[in-house]
Amino acid sequence: MSDFRELYQEIILDHSKSPRNFRPLVGATFDAEGFNPLCGDQVHVWLALDGDKVKDASFLGTGCAISKASASMMTQAVKGRSKKDTEALFTAFHRLVTGEAARAGDDPEALGKLAVFAGVSEFPVRVKCASLAWHTLKAALEGAKTPVSTE
Ligand code: ZN
């Protein structure tokens, strides 16, 4: 477990310091904004779909390391996925950070690197930080017109 914790801290630090796909997306087909008033995290997520496939994803945002790292890794994870696949990933990630996956015995390997966020489930306040970008992504895909709030 201590190796896991080290890996978790390393990955969160890396992605929060140099977030990937940290830019607005020209030619985006979907976008949405999200807020986590509890922590002050803000995120704007852009998606470019080509037919049913996510061709590109990006984000901009301010907030804590966990919210940034989660958004950064999410934009990497959804590229190349179908809309249905992206929604399935959202569900799997949500189950992971809420601890539901561990209770149900889901295979964490299915989430790849995102599995490091399992540690967040021990800190209820942080669950919203980790899932903010994902809720925003889902809202973007659903064509939400108003910003998402975790409250
Ligand atoms: Zn936060």
Side-chain angles (χ1 to χ4, degrees):
M1 201 65 196
S2 69
D3 281 358
F4 185 81
R5 202 171 287 272
E6 238 166 68
L7 182 69
Y8 166 75
Q9 280 169 354
E10 210 173 279
I11 291 183
I12 303 269
L13 213 70
D14 171 36
H15 278 267
S16 64
K17 274 190 177 162
S18 29
R20 319 299 198 273
N21 305 306
F22 195 68
R23 54 184 159 82
L25 190 58
V26 180
T29 45
F30 296 93
D31 77 294
E33 287 178 82
F35 303 99
N36 173 18
L38 205 66
C39 176
D41 309 315
Q42 300 191 3
V43 71
H44 193 147
V45 173
W46 286 270
L47 286 171
L49 264 73
D50 183 10
D52 189 49
K53 276 233 157 37
V54 178
K55 201 174 62 181
D56 206 358
S58 74
F59 84 105
L60 280 177
T62 55
C64 67
I66 291 174
S67 71
K68 252 184 165 170
S70 176
S72 171
M73 290 173 76
M74 179 189 79
T75 57
Q76 289 187 312
V78 298
K79 268 190 210 179
R81 286 183 187 259
S82 69
K83 216 171 151 178
K84 205 176 152 200
D85 242 23
T86 302
E87 278 161 5
L89 193 65
F90 165 86
T91 306
F93 185 81
H94 198 255
R95 287 173 62 85
L96 179 82
V97 295
T98 54
E100 212 175 305
R103 287 190 291 273
D106 291 6
D107 178 12
E109 294 294 310
L111 281 158
K113 269 190 184 173
L114 290 168
V116 296
F117 283 97
V120 168
S121 66
E122 291 168 43
F123 310 96
V125 174
R126 291 296 177 199
V127 172
K128 285 176 177 172
C129 300
S131 58
L132 174 66
W134 292 82
H135 281 293
T136 309
L137 169 86
K138 195 160 183 266
L141 281 173
E142 288 166 356
K145 294 278 177 278
T146 49
V148 192
S149 173
T150 53
E151 289 303 294

